[in-house]
Amino acid sequence: MLLALTEAERAAARGEVPVGAVIIDPIAQSVVSADGNRVVERHDPTAHAELIAIQAACRVVGSERLNDLDIYVTLEPCPMCAQAISLARLRRLYFGAADVKGGGVEHGPRIFAQPTCRHVPEVYGGIDETRASALLRDFFRDRR
């Protein structure tokens, strides 16, 4: 989660909402991909940290399936990102801060609980939640 938080800090420094994502190979204990939000930079509403990290990991692995890999995200994934996590068949999702308004895992549409969801990763929320929440709170406070 520390690397995901670092990616979130880098995103904030670029003027992006501070969300970072890291995909790891738990067996090799290595980072496969890591990035932060790039919505503003790319003028792309889909350039969320999770999607960028998933795309990069797929290129590294050479497959659209990331079966044995885990993703760490500083914020509960939105519905779009939760669906991408499912489609990529990521093994586990670890996230920091809950997202009551925009989340898609424990809040909102709860993508993984839907009968149409084909793959449900193991989910662990609240990982370093205090620091992840502080990054978001400070970012938006400074914007006001």
Side-chain angles (χ1 to χ4, degrees):
M1 186 58 81
L2 288 176
L3 185 52
L5 288 162
T6 299
E7 291 295 338
E9 290 168 349
R10 289 179 182 154
R14 293 190 303 270
E16 301 279 357
V17 174
V19 177
V22 178
I23 296 178
I24 66 154
D25 181 335
I27 295 167
Q29 297 183 353
S30 63
V31 173
V32 178
S33 65
D35 215 324
N37 276 356
R38 294 185 181 272
V39 171
V40 175
E41 175 186 304
R42 294 183 181 179
H43 308 291
D44 180 356
T46 69
H48 290 197
E50 300 95 320
L51 293 184
I52 296 167
I54 288 169
Q55 292 166 355
C58 287
R59 285 191 299 273
V60 168
V61 171
S63 174
E64 72 283 3
R65 301 278 192 249
L66 304 174
N67 295 326
D68 298 321
L69 305 181
D70 299 340
I71 187 167
Y72 287 77
V73 187
T74 58
L75 180 65
E76 175 184 351
C78 73
M80 173 181 67
C81 293
Q83 187 64 41
I85 288 166
S86 175
L87 291 170
R89 307 292 198 269
L90 282 154
R91 183 181 77 136
R92 290 186 180 137
L93 161 64
Y94 299 90
F95 70 86
D99 188 351
V100 177
K101 292 182 180 179
V105 177
E106 292 182 349
H107 299 91
R110 298 174 187 191
I111 296 299
F112 303 140
Q114 299 304 314
T116 55
C117 184
R118 294 177 187 246
H119 170 76
V120 178
E122 293 177 35
V123 177
Y124 302 92
I127 311 297
D128 214 346
E129 182 173 14
T130 302
R131 187 168 169 204
S133 294
L135 272 172
L136 289 157
R137 184 178 53 253
D138 294 348
F139 176 81
F140 287 111
R141 182 197 63 224
D142 294 346
R143 292 274 184 228
R144 291 183 189 122

